[in-house]
Each structure stands twice: as structure tokens, then as C-alpha cells.
Amino acid sequence: MFYNNPFGSWAEAGQGQSVHHAWNGGAPAPSVFGALPYPTAPSDSNLVTFYFTSFSPTIFNCTVIGPQAQVYYRVVTDNYMPGYTVIKNAEGKNISLIEWQTHPLIEVRDLLAKQHIRTWLGLTKDKSSRTMTVRGMQYTWTPRDKSINLYTGEHKNPRFLARITRANGTITLDMTNDAIQLGLLDPIVAAALLLQSGRNID
């Protein structure tokens, strides 16, 4: 069930290979570094930070902590039902359900009806990014340096909302207050889990 790690591919792309090459094993695509008008992330003081921590032994059983080291989510994959991963909020309510199968499915309570992950986090035609739709709005996850960034808006005027970074065995999720006010915390946490899972999500 473990195939490729999208973050690993993007990290490789930052080391001289294009994302197209890393995902398809083909010849590298022409570099567009600096050609796209993506904005820079706001300063860290303007971001709300969450950490995926306490891996037991992997991200499929972990805790997501946020400001003031409060537990916001628990990711649970029961040994007796290994085909399912549940994201629970601090009160223990199920927020997201992931069904691991040949073409995995996801459901996010009150936001996303059960559907294939490859539909919800679909690759763009050039396979350089993934799109995510929440409440009819489209967002884009794009590799940028050593992170995976979430943007909204058109290509001509994108707006930074969040980023996922991985370093020293820690997965960090930084979000803008705008992203939180838009009600994107639950779907972004689910997407971060999927993008860092190391499993085939297509």
C-alpha cells in the first residue's frame, strides 16, 4: 500500500529535479522557477502553527498540537481496522475519515462528502501541484523551496494560506488567520496528513 511520498518527490525537486521528473520518472520539465507570481509567505509572527507529533509509530497514529501546546486533533488508525484512519478533534468527535483502498476515499464532516482523494486533491495537468476544493472554492497545494504551500485565488493574484514543512522528524503546519477564519482548519489538517502519509493517494 505504500507507493510514493509526494513530499519526498517535492523535496527531490528542490535538489535539482523538476516535480514532473520526480513524479513521472521522465525527462525533467523546463524550469519555471521565479516565473510564477506566487507571493511569499507572511512572517512567522502572522502564522498560527500546528505540529504533527507523538508518532506511534507513524503519522497514522499521532497528535496534532497547536497554540499553547493544546491538543487539537488525534489521528487514529486502529490495528484491528487498518484500512481506516480517523482524525478526531480535541473533544473526540470524528472530523475526517480516510478509507485506504486501491483508490482511497476521504470524508470531512460537514464539508466534504465521501469521495476519492484523487478527486479532492487532484493533480494538475502538468502534475506540478494539487488542487483542493472546499465549499466550492478551489485552492492549490504547490511545492515551494522546502515546503508545500496552499494558495487561493487566480494564478495572476494568488494568496498564501498555509504551508507544510518537514524537518528533523517533525511535520509543521503553518496557517494564516485568514485560512482559519475561512473554516479551512479541518480540511487542511486532513490534506497535510494525506500529503505526508507516504501512501499512494491517487
Side-chain angles (χ1 to χ4, degrees):
M1 237 193 274
F2 293 83
Y3 296 98
N4 62 3
N5 180 342
F7 186 87
S9 298
W10 288 348
E12 290 170 24
Q15 297 171 6
Q17 295 181 20
S18 73
V19 172
H20 179 78
H21 176 75
W23 275 344
N24 294 320
S31 172
V32 292
F33 181 74
L36 299 176
Y38 285 107
T40 58
S43 70
D44 288 348
S45 64
N46 294 327
L47 297 173
V48 180
T49 301
F50 299 87
Y51 299 95
F52 287 76
T53 185
S54 302
F55 293 10
S56 180
T58 66
I59 195 170
F60 297 110
N61 287 288
C62 73
T63 303
V64 180
I65 59 172
Q68 288 84 43
Q70 289 185 327
V71 172
Y72 276 68
Y73 299 95
R74 294 188 196 288
V75 178
V76 179
T77 304
D78 192 327
N79 288 336
Y80 298 104
M81 296 182 65
Y84 296 89
T85 298
V86 178
I87 301 174
K88 299 174 177 273
N89 67 10
E91 292 80 39
K93 289 176 132 178
N94 293 350
I95 298 300
S96 300
L97 174 66
I98 301 164
E99 294 182 31
W100 298 108
Q101 45 187 273
T102 304
H103 299 292
L105 299 164
I106 186 167
E107 180 178 352
V108 180
R109 173 174 273 164
D110 299 328
L111 289 178
L112 182 68
K114 186 186 289 188
Q115 61 185 275
H116 286 105
I117 293 170
R118 67 181 179 189
T119 302
W120 183 56
L121 286 178
L123 281 170
T124 56
K125 287 182 182 180
D126 65 1
K127 299 186 179 184
S128 65
S129 303
R130 288 188 178 270
T131 59
M132 177 179 84
T133 304
V134 178
R135 292 187 201 97
M137 293 289 297
Q138 189 166 346
Y139 304 92
T140 304
W141 288 101
T142 302
R144 183 87 171 162
D145 299 322
K146 299 275 183 190
S147 65
I148 304 171
N149 293 355
L150 180 68
Y151 299 96
T152 187
E154 300 175 7
H155 288 293
K156 292 181 180 179
N157 192 23
R159 186 171 50 141
F160 174 86
L161 291 175
R163 72 175 167 224
I164 306 165
T165 54
R166 182 179 214 146
N168 304 321
T170 301
I171 297 171
T172 304
L173 172 62
D174 295 308
M175 294 179 61
T176 63
N177 284 315
D178 286 348
I180 293 171
Q181 290 172 0
L182 287 168
L184 295 176
L185 182 57
D186 291 349
I188 287 176
V189 167
L193 170 68
L194 293 168
L195 293 171
Q196 296 300 298
S197 71
R199 291 192 178 184
N200 179 9
I201 59 174
D202 294 313

